[in-house]
Amino acid sequence: MQINDPNAYRRCEEIDLLGDLIQVRDRRVLELGCGAAYMTRALATRLGAARITATEVDRIQHARNLAIADLPQVIFRYGGAESIADPDASYDLVVMLKSLHHVPVAAMDQALREIHRVLVPGGLLYVSEPVYWGDFNAIMRLIDDERLVREAAFEALRNAVDAGLFESVQEVFFESEGIYPDWSSFAARFIDVTHSERNLDAARLAEIRAAFERHLTPQGVRLWKPHRVDLLRRVN
């Protein structure tokens, strides 16, 4: 396992990669940190999961998710990865999409033990994390520098493998394209959010905007966003 490999990236969308790596159809899925449920919807409608429990710790976003009425196979639930409100061996697959580094560092090991507990023997854990590298990251670190928590998330995964909870099935590096027509669309996506208190003063906002607009073209800003995927299997 390695935290980055600049020579190994493929360019694709996450849902396509997930579908290539895992047979999701008819499986029971736990998505930890579902955000606005975009991938939840894709897991249900495109990849055919039988049942999905989608959790979120942002109460405002969770309330919005509860209003979703057209995904009957999805249960939305408030809660964190370090305390999962399900019996042992409840799921075939657990998915964490850019959410492990948001778990409090002191609780990351506990979260992975909880995931091990709720997976069936041989069940899979799919963890996708942003990589601290590249032009997109150079902008994002001005908003919230996540280097330390991302490193902690990687170490927690490696510790879980070293402890014998999981075995590494595959590690994949990929880039997906982010397209932002203008500054306001970027700010709405990454600054004016409900899950984090940004506390950015006028000078820092101006610095972020300048960094963003250095990439501006008549078609907007297009940036490749690097990710690492660790596909792990629960060891019995």
Coordinates of all heavy atoms in Angstrom, one line a residue, residues 36-38 40-46 49-50 52 64-76:
A36 N -24.5 14.3 -0.2 CA -25.8 14.7 -0.9 C -26.4 13.5 -1.6 O -27.3 13.7 -2.4 CB -25.6 15.8 -1.8
A37 N -25.8 12.3 -1.4 CA -26.4 11.1 -1.9 C -26.3 10.9 -3.4 O -27.1 10.1 -4.0 CB -27.9 10.9 -1.4
Y38 N -25.4 11.6 -4.0 CA -25.2 11.4 -5.5 C -24.8 9.9 -5.8 O -25.3 9.3 -6.7 CB -24.2 12.4 -6.0 CG -24.6 13.8 -5.9 CD1 -23.8 14.7 -5.2 CD2 -25.8 14.3 -6.4 CE1 -24.2 16.0 -5.0 CE2 -26.2 15.6 -6.3 CZ -25.4 16.5 -5.6 OH -25.7 17.8 -5.4
T40 N -25.0 7.4 -3.7 CA -26.0 6.5 -3.2 C -27.0 6.2 -4.3 O -27.4 5.0 -4.5 CB -26.7 7.2 -2.0 OG1 -25.8 7.8 -1.1 CG2 -27.6 6.2 -1.3
R41 N -27.4 7.2 -5.0 CA -28.4 7.0 -6.1 C -27.8 6.1 -7.2 O -28.5 5.2 -7.7 CB -28.8 8.4 -6.6 CG -29.8 8.3 -7.8 CD -30.3 9.7 -8.2 NE -31.0 10.3 -7.1 CZ -32.3 10.1 -6.9 NH1 -33.0 9.3 -7.6 NH2 -32.9 10.7 -5.9
A42 N -26.5 6.4 -7.5 CA -25.9 5.6 -8.5 C -25.7 4.1 -8.1 O -25.9 3.2 -8.9 CB -24.5 6.2 -8.9
L43 N -25.4 3.9 -6.8 CA -25.2 2.5 -6.3 C -26.6 1.8 -6.4 O -26.6 0.6 -6.7 CB -24.8 2.6 -4.9 CG -23.3 2.9 -4.6 CD1 -23.1 3.3 -3.2 CD2 -22.4 1.8 -5.1
A44 N -27.7 2.5 -6.1 CA -29.0 1.9 -6.2 C -29.5 1.7 -7.6 O -30.0 0.6 -7.9 CB -30.0 2.8 -5.3
T45 N -29.5 2.7 -8.4 CA -30.2 2.7 -9.7 C -29.3 2.2 -10.8 O -29.8 1.5 -11.7 CB -30.7 4.1 -10.0 OG1 -29.6 5.0 -10.2 CG2 -31.6 4.6 -9.0
R46 N -28.0 2.5 -10.8 CA -27.1 2.1 -11.9 C -26.4 0.7 -11.6 O -26.3 -0.1 -12.5 CB -26.1 3.2 -12.1 CG -25.1 2.8 -13.2 CD -24.2 4.0 -13.6 NE -23.1 3.6 -14.4 CZ -22.2 4.5 -14.8 NH1 -22.3 5.7 -14.5 NH2 -21.2 4.0 -15.6
A49 N -27.7 -2.2 -6.2 CA -27.6 -2.7 -4.9 C -29.0 -3.1 -4.4 O -30.0 -2.4 -4.7 CB -27.0 -1.7 -4.0
A50 N -29.0 -4.2 -3.6 CA -30.3 -4.7 -3.1 C -30.9 -3.8 -2.0 O -32.1 -3.4 -2.0 CB -30.2 -6.1 -2.6
I52 N -29.4 -0.4 0.7 CA -28.3 0.5 1.0 C -28.7 1.3 2.3 O -29.8 1.8 2.4 CB -28.0 1.6 -0.1 CG1 -27.7 0.9 -1.4 CG2 -26.9 2.5 0.4 CD1 -27.6 1.9 -2.5
R64 N -31.9 16.9 4.5 CA -32.2 16.9 3.1 C -32.3 15.5 2.5 O -33.2 15.3 1.7 CB -31.2 17.7 2.4 CG -31.1 19.2 2.8 CD -29.9 19.9 2.2 NE -29.9 21.3 2.5 CZ -28.8 22.1 2.3 NH1 -27.7 21.6 1.8 NH2 -28.9 23.4 2.7
N65 N -31.5 14.7 2.9 CA -31.5 13.3 2.4 C -32.8 12.6 2.8 O -33.3 11.8 2.0 CB -30.3 12.5 2.9 CG -29.0 13.0 2.3 OD1 -29.0 13.7 1.3 ND2 -27.9 12.6 2.9
L66 N -33.3 12.8 4.0 CA -34.5 12.2 4.4 C -35.7 12.6 3.5 O -36.7 11.8 3.5 CB -34.8 12.6 5.9 CG -33.9 11.9 6.9 CD1 -34.2 12.5 8.3 CD2 -34.0 10.4 6.9
A67 N -35.6 13.7 2.8 CA -36.7 14.1 1.9 C -36.7 13.4 0.6 O -37.6 13.5 -0.2 CB -36.6 15.6 1.7
I68 N -35.6 12.6 0.3 CA -35.6 11.8 -0.9 C -36.6 10.7 -0.9 O -36.5 9.9 0.0 CB -34.1 11.3 -1.2 CG1 -33.1 12.4 -1.3 CG2 -34.1 10.4 -2.4 CD1 -31.7 12.0 -1.4
A69 N -37.5 10.7 -1.9 CA -38.6 9.8 -1.8 C -38.6 8.7 -2.9 O -39.5 7.9 -2.9 CB -39.9 10.6 -1.9
D70 N -37.6 8.8 -3.8 CA -37.7 7.9 -5.0 C -36.6 6.8 -4.9 O -36.3 6.2 -6.0 CB -37.6 8.7 -6.3 CG -36.3 9.4 -6.4 OD1 -35.6 9.7 -5.3 OD2 -35.9 9.8 -7.5
L71 N -36.1 6.5 -3.7 CA -35.1 5.4 -3.6 C -35.5 4.5 -2.5 O -35.0 4.5 -1.4 CB -33.7 6.0 -3.2 CG -33.0 6.9 -4.3 CD1 -31.7 7.5 -3.8 CD2 -32.7 6.1 -5.6
P72 N -36.5 3.6 -2.8 CA -37.1 2.8 -1.8 C -36.1 1.8 -1.1 O -36.4 1.3 0.0 CB -38.2 2.1 -2.5 CG -37.8 2.1 -4.0 CD -37.1 3.4 -4.1
Q73 N -35.1 1.5 -1.8 CA -34.1 0.5 -1.3 C -33.0 1.2 -0.4 O -32.1 0.5 0.1 CB -33.4 -0.3 -2.4 CG -32.5 0.5 -3.3 CD -33.2 1.1 -4.5 OE1 -34.1 2.0 -4.3 NE2 -32.8 0.7 -5.7
V74 N -33.2 2.5 -0.2 CA -32.2 3.2 0.6 C -32.8 3.7 1.9 O -33.9 4.2 2.0 CB -31.7 4.4 -0.2 CG1 -30.7 5.2 0.7 CG2 -31.0 4.0 -1.5
I75 N -32.0 3.4 3.0 CA -32.4 4.0 4.3 C -31.3 5.0 4.7 O -30.1 4.7 4.7 CB -32.4 2.9 5.4 CG1 -33.5 1.8 5.1 CG2 -32.6 3.5 6.8 CD1 -33.4 0.6 6.0
F76 N -31.7 6.2 4.9 CA -30.8 7.3 5.3 C -30.8 7.4 6.9 O -31.8 7.4 7.5 CB -31.2 8.6 4.8 CG -31.0 8.7 3.3 CD1 -32.1 8.6 2.4 CD2 -29.8 8.9 2.7 CE1 -32.0 8.7 1.0 CE2 -29.6 8.9 1.3 CZ -30.7 8.8 0.5

